[in-house]
């Protein structure tokens, strides 16, 4: 346990969060505020805030004039980034949800490749209908995003013989730049989307990009709905040319009358990628470690890079 | 290409098999017989037979008095073993189907862990119903069978944080013996079955074994139906205590009026583990290599050990 010279004020969104994060270093004062209910005394002294899922970023930050660190529990930071001043460190929840999110992407991809929704229907009808399906052997997978989510997706699919190509914002060894996407899409049997939503990725997978994919390709999105042009995806999947697994949609939640629901080649889950029972345990472990680093004056992890 | 001193006669089950296996070494004569239709001239000279899925073992072997090698296309060899004389080498299709079979096991396990059948139903009803599910992180998986299928299952589940314990016929480094099963089952969140069916494994997962599993455990069987006592599994899953993914059943095919079909905690696929489009390509590559080894007098691979 590190001790600190001055009192550090940490604001967390619930009493259960406070209890789960404990123990914190000596000299760290914990306040509980969800960003919506009346703020407790001393909230204006907050140095480090754990942003829950409830408060609006602008209202919350207005109450925290001395905040130095905003820690999110999500991998995505698009909702917060525009509101966090340049001199405040924004940290995301990378690693909290990444593996579970990748796990859901692999679940959805495998379900489509191995026709699980069809067999669920056959089971309901008590029918033993044998039919050869595809498998991942020799499938070419384009992973958009070379962070932890993309890495876990790749490692799991490789076990079954798929070959992986990474695309990310910054080209580096083994990773292509996003502007190479038009050259890479025609060779992709599977496009797995695991990048943050930002100005560069919003609408990136539009009608032109989808048109580059070969017939029968699978688009899997566990990142953010607006990365894909929904109307273009509806057109390409309802025609039967492409298939899709979507844990995120645009709009979200998907309205009951949206055409995506009924497309035979589309499997939808309701944004549950990272929302598994284990996530809070992982989240509070990360936050405790971040508070210890902050109290000790060490470098934080998961710092969101500004453009 | 190896050349051989004497003519070797190879019998394959179809003309397409013959064409796909080609080229074979000089001096290898290929006959086509499926074990059911009238046998071609010279069938009694067969040295090496590729057994398809159609002929009955006893009838087929009676027509092949000089056969030295029986090559199967399946990983399972239980149907053939009792009929193949001791001095004839029996080779199975290990490696042809293994990865695809493991892939289906992982598909089924993930589908249950991430509630995919539920979400397929919600999609049909146009409902966006968010609910935390489990994930594989820290799950304990008991893999029954330390062959290629078990190995691929383990490698994929480990990517998502599961820990693996192997059990197989022969205890060795990192692998427990089958007689330790009663001590291992109480700690298994998931039991993945990937062993051959034989006298030791028939009925191995009976009512007593299932009773040792903790509440909520998942039983996944991609091996052979009779390894599990079906009545006991029906009892433990219909009560809601256990869950199951079954690609194989006993009886098989599962009759339309069987109680397994309607159990909410059971997902059934119709023995399609290894039956993917890629399997024939892999099968014919294996057979070509075995014929080359046989013609060159080299040691064959995939030889089934006799008890």
């Amino acid at each position: 346990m590190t001790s600190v010279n001055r009192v550090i004020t940490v604001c967390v969104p619930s009493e259960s969060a406070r209890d789960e994060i404990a123990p914190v270093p000596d000299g760290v004062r914990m306040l509980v505020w969800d960003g919506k209910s009346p703020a407790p005394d001393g909230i204006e002294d907050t140095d480090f805030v754990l942003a829950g899922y409830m408060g609006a970023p602008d209202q919350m930050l207005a109450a925290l004039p001395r905040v130095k660190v905003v820690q999110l529990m999500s991998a995505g930071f698009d909702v917060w980034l525009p509101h966090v001043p340049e001199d405040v460190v924004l940290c995301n929840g990378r690693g909290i949800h990444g593996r579970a999110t990748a796990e859901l992407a692999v679940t959805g991809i495998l379900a489509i490749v191995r026709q699980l929704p069809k067999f669920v229907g056959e089971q309901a009808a008590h029918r033993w209908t044998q039919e050869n399906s595809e498998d991942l052997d020799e499938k070419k997978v384009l992973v958009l995003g070379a962070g932890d989510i993309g890495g876990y997706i790749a490692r799991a699919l490789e076990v079954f013989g798929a070959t992986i190509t990474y695309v990310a914002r910054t080209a580096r060894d083994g990773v292509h730049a996003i502007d190479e996407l038009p050259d890479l899409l025609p060779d992709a049997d599977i496009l797995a989307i695991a990048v943050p939503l930002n100005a560069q990725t919003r609408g990136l997978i539009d009608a032109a990009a989808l048109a580059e994919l070969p017939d029968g390709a699978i688009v899997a999105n566990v990142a953010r709905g607006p990365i894909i042009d929904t109307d273009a995806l509806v057109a390409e999947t309802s025609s039967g040319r492409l298939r899709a697994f979507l844990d995120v949609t645009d709009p979200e939640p998907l309205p009951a009358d949206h055409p995506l629901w009924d497309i035979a080649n589309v499997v939808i889950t309701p944004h549950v990628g990272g929302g598994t029972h284990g996530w809070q345990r992982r989240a509070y472990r990360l936050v405790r470690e971040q508070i210890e680093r902050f109290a000790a004056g060490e470098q934080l992890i998961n710092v969101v890079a500004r453009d």
Side-chain angles (χ1 to χ4, degrees), chain A:
Chain A
M1 200 82 41
T2 320
S3 76
V4 289
N5 297 328
R6 60 184 182 80
V7 170
I8 287 174
T9 303
V10 172
C11 172
V12 299
S14 66
E15 291 183 12
S16 67
R18 183 191 58 198
D19 296 344
E20 295 284 341
I21 290 166
V24 291
D26 293 340
V28 172
R29 179 175 59 153
M30 300 284 274
L31 296 178
V32 173
W33 186 45
D34 61 7
K36 296 182 105 175
S37 47
D41 286 345
I43 191 71
E44 66 281 3
D45 294 327
T46 296
D47 300 289
F48 180 115
V49 62
L50 173 61
Y53 286 110
M54 290 169 64
D58 50 350
Q59 286 173 30
M60 198 153 186
L61 289 168
L64 309 173
R66 286 170 214 152
V67 74
K68 294 165 193 74
V69 179
V70 175
Q71 172 70 55
L72 307 181
M73 296 209 269
S74 58
F77 47 80
D78 47 283
V79 174
W80 280 83
L81 189 61
H83 301 284
V84 177
E86 289 276 341
D87 59 346
V88 174
V89 176
L90 178 63
C91 298
N92 72 353
R94 175 179 164 142
I96 296 175
H97 305 272
R99 196 150 71 175
T101 302
E103 186 185 287
L104 187 67
V106 171
T107 303
I109 290 168
L110 282 173
I112 291 178
V113 167
R114 301 306 296 257
Q115 302 190 70
L116 204 73
K118 182 193 121 173
F119 290 127
V120 167
E122 293 297 293
Q123 179 177 348
H126 295 204
R127 280 195 299 254
W128 186 270
T129 311
Q130 286 192 305
E131 187 181 298
N132 277 1
S133 71
E134 302 163 272
D135 58 37
L136 288 173
D137 189 32
E138 300 187 8
K139 285 267 189 299
K140 285 170 234 149
V141 181
L142 196 59
V143 175
L144 182 54
D148 66 334
I149 298 176
Y152 286 119
I153 293 173
R155 283 168 56 196
L157 300 184
E158 279 175 332
V159 170
F160 299 118
T163 56
I164 310 295
T165 302
Y166 287 104
V167 180
R169 182 159 59 172
T170 312
R172 51 193 188 273
D173 197 33
V175 180
H176 295 265
I178 280 184
D179 58 16
E180 297 175 65
L181 210 46
D183 298 328
L184 297 168
L185 289 166
D187 207 35
D189 300 308
I190 298 170
L191 170 65
I193 301 173
V195 275
L197 177 65
N198 56 37
Q200 190 184 23
T201 61
R202 183 178 295 274
L204 178 66
I205 306 304
D206 58 8
L210 292 172
E212 295 285 352
L213 286 166
D215 290 357
I218 298 170
V219 178
N221 191 3
V222 293
R224 285 289 184 269
I227 295 169
I228 302 180
D229 177 332
T230 300
D231 290 344
L233 186 67
V234 166
E236 288 274 31
T237 52
S238 59
S239 74
R241 201 184 79 79
L242 297 182
R243 301 177 285 175
F245 170 68
L246 306 175
D247 185 48
V248 291
T249 57
D250 175 29
E252 187 173 307
L254 201 61
D257 61 353
H258 200 283
L260 270 178
W261 289 116
D262 285 326
I263 302 175
N265 293 325
V266 175
V267 175
I268 297 170
T269 56
H271 202 150
V272 291
T276 56
H277 295 308
W279 84 264
Q280 287 186 314
R281 175 171 36 82
R282 292 188 289 273
Y284 295 140
R285 189 175 58 208
L286 169 68
V287 174
R288 185 186 317 120
E289 292 168 2
Q290 291 282 69
I291 292 170
E292 288 171 0
R293 287 187 192 95
F294 181 68
E298 294 171 6
Q299 179 68 41
L300 298 175
I301 64 165
N302 285 15
V303 175
V304 172
R306 307 292 181 122
D307 283 313

